[in-house]
Amino acid sequence: MSISNENARNYKIASQCVHSGTKNDCYGSVIQPIYQTATFRFKDADHGARLFQGADEGYIYSRITNPTVEAMEDAVAILEGGAKAIGCASGMAAVFTLVGSLLNAGEHIICTASAYGTTITLLQDVMPKYQVETSFINTHEIESVKKAIKQNTKLIIIESPCNPTMMLTDIAEICKIAKQHNIKVAVDNTFCSPVLQKPLELGADYVIHSMTKYLNGHADVVAGIIVLKDEDEYPHFRSMMNNYGGVISPMNAFLVHRGIKTLKLRVEEALKNAIKIAEYLEKHPKIEFVRYPGLKSHPQYELGIKQSKGSGSIITFEVKGGIEAGKKVINNTKLIQLAVSLGGIESLIEHPASMTHALMGEDARALAGITDGLIRLSVGIEDADDLIKELDYVLGLI
């Protein structure tokens, strides 16, 4: 018999990663099976009617719910300490479902200024068509957040660490302020994962992830999720997801659930590598600056210790010589691959201003502190000495 979801909540996170979410089936499968079906057969007409009415538990159609998807959702909810979760086809499907579930025309959002580029594009260019306004604020500046609050503000979206500036937001303090104004708070926890940071415990109402990143961890899935603190909100969010239709497939849910089983091991190994590499880069004569919360030179080093169990494995840095020198660095790596995304077993390097954050526009990047020469490095689980050896070689080219 598999461990129930309620019992799984009593274990530590390493055990939760391995066992949470798995359902019992008639064959005694140790691993959650893939229910690769679009629809489910009813016992009779009355049974089908009861399922549609919500009177019976069960499955109708995989856009609505699916056993494989539900098992993965339960696993992530347990890891984050939430009540329920809703799997989505991508991280952006999760963001859109969140916003669509909470905002009406004429209402207002506050969002971290250096959030993921497509999150900013959605809020800046798409949501105004639905009369939803967004103020982009450096949420690590608490006074700026207070000043940005309006009577019609309904949601604050935080990324901490920010992408790609690596600035931290005091999640607990923002949540305290938000509660005073009856504003909901959502935290994008993609960069840390629940291994390192638990936003719901710090007062947030929702956690979102691009599960493409650490939760899956193998660069072979595009997926997102919303974790809810309050189970009473689940029917409303689920209805929005069903009507919008941006659902995750059973196969992708299976792959994410499989990836979660090694989540703690992968996150901790990449973290060890990142600390070594950040320290190496900080001392290198050809580096202008390094932004990594695990370095004591980071202006919010103490906040990182207070609200997280580790600094993650994303490092941003700028080389001396500007954008042309930066191009020479990223064009000559081999072990470290030139590609967007992050949080996988492999190390990836990219240029935010021309790639992941290009659509933000120059003014928005300037507000967020994304300089033209900034390089983002997602550290994987390769040998740290091999990664440093390669960085030493490419930096020697400039």
Side-chain angles (χ1 to χ4, degrees):
M1 182 177 290
S2 63
I3 295 169
S4 71
N5 288 337
E6 286 310 308
N7 286 336
R9 293 179 185 276
N10 298 322
Y11 291 98
K12 294 184 178 179
I13 195 162
S15 301
Q16 289 178 342
C17 285
V18 174
H19 293 287
S20 61
T22 304
K23 298 172 178 291
N24 289 315
D25 74 346
C26 62
Y27 301 108
S29 299
V30 173
I31 299 299
Q32 179 66 33
I34 307 170
Y35 288 89
Q36 191 66 46
T37 182
T39 193
F40 297 84
R41 187 168 52 243
F42 307 134
K43 297 173 184 176
D44 53 40
D46 289 341
H47 176 230
R50 289 195 302 273
L51 287 171
F52 271 96
Q53 293 163 6
D56 281 3
E57 291 186 2
Y59 303 97
I60 297 169
Y61 187 63
S62 284
R63 176 171 54 80
I64 301 170
T65 51
N66 172 285
T68 309
V69 173
E70 191 174 57
M72 178 277 297
E73 292 171 337
D74 289 345
V76 179
I78 289 166
L79 292 177
E80 284 286 6
K84 295 288 288 183
I86 297 171
C88 305
S90 67
M92 286 311 304
V95 175
F96 186 82
T97 301
L98 174 82
V99 172
S101 298
L102 294 175
L103 274 293
N104 296 311
E107 294 181 336
H108 175 245
I109 298 170
I110 294 171
C111 181
T112 298
S114 60
Y116 177 54
T118 312
T119 298
I120 290 177
T121 301
L122 171 71
L123 299 178
Q124 178 179 269
D125 298 340
V126 178
M127 294 313 298
K129 297 177 183 178
Y130 303 100
Q131 299 178 44
V132 173
E133 177 195 7
T134 301
S135 297
F136 296 98
I137 303 297
N138 289 319
T139 52
H140 59 276
E141 300 170 353
I142 299 297
E143 290 304 314
S144 295
V145 175
K146 289 180 180 178
K147 291 177 182 177
I149 293 173
K150 303 179 180 182
Q151 286 189 338
N152 62 340
T153 304
K154 298 298 179 183
L155 176 65
I156 299 175
I157 300 175
I158 297 169
E159 281 193 22
S160 187
C162 299
N163 178 19
T165 63
M166 302 309 293
M167 295 301 289
L168 306 180
T169 293
D170 190 330
I171 298 171
E173 185 62 24
I174 294 294
C175 291
K176 180 180 174 182
I177 294 166
K179 296 300 182 288
Q180 294 170 355
H181 296 272
N182 197 30
I183 299 168
K184 298 288 188 178
V185 177
V187 178
D188 186 329
N189 202 29
T190 298
F191 268 37
C192 283
S193 88
V195 173
L196 301 180
Q197 185 169 268
K198 298 284 190 76
L200 298 181
E201 292 181 359
L202 296 170
D205 301 287
Y206 316 102
V207 170
I208 52 177
H209 283 272
S210 169
M211 298 194 296
T212 310
K213 314 313 193 282
Y214 290 100
L215 292 182
N216 175 60
H218 292 79
D220 55 7
V221 163
V222 174
I225 201 161
I226 308 166
V227 183
L228 311 176
K229 179 186 283 186
D230 184 354
E231 189 167 358
D232 290 342
E233 292 187 290
Y234 175 75
H236 174 63
F237 274 77
R238 175 61 72 183
S239 176
M240 178 64 187
M241 180 80 264
N242 292 342
N243 292 328
Y244 167 50
V247 297
I248 185 172
S249 70
M251 176 59 78
N252 280 355
F254 170 82
L255 290 171
V256 171
H257 203 172
R258 183 184 67 173
I260 286 171
K261 295 181 185 300
T262 59
L263 175 65
K264 185 172 185 290
L265 302 176
R266 290 184 286 101
V267 166
E268 291 181 348
E269 190 65 22
L271 171 61
K272 291 176 188 176
N273 285 349
I275 291 170
K276 290 181 182 179
I277 291 168
E279 290 174 346
Y280 157 78
L281 289 170
E282 189 173 44
K283 296 173 184 175
H284 199 285
K286 292 186 179 178
I287 297 296
E288 194 74 49
F289 61 80
V290 179
R291 295 174 179 168
Y292 179 66
L295 293 174
K296 290 185 179 179
S297 59
H298 192 283
Q300 297 164 301
Y301 176 76
E302 295 298 331
L303 174 60
I305 292 173
K306 184 179 87 170
Q307 71 181 16
S308 306
K309 293 182 179 178
S311 305
S313 52
I314 309 299
I315 303 166
T316 56
F317 61 95
E318 188 156 337
V319 296
K320 293 179 179 177
I323 191 167
E324 291 305 316
K327 283 183 180 179
K328 188 169 283 190
V329 167
I330 66 177
N331 284 341
N332 286 281
T333 58
K334 293 182 176 63
L335 184 63
I336 303 169
Q337 299 175 73
L338 175 54
V340 297
S341 200
L342 55 99
I345 54 175
E346 66 290 315
S347 294
L348 302 175
I349 197 165
E350 65 107 3
H351 177 238
S354 67
M355 297 175 188
T356 51
H357 292 70
L359 294 179
M360 284 174 62
E362 192 173 334
D363 291 343
R365 287 196 300 274
L367 172 64
I370 303 170
T371 57
D372 284 345
L374 195 68
I375 293 171
R376 189 183 76 185
L377 172 63
S378 173
V379 180
I381 64 171
E382 303 95 340
D383 187 278
D385 291 339
D386 288 335
L387 296 170
I388 289 172
K389 183 178 179 180
E390 176 155 286
L391 288 168
D392 205 48
Y393 167 72
V394 296
L395 288 169
L397 298 175
I398 60 176

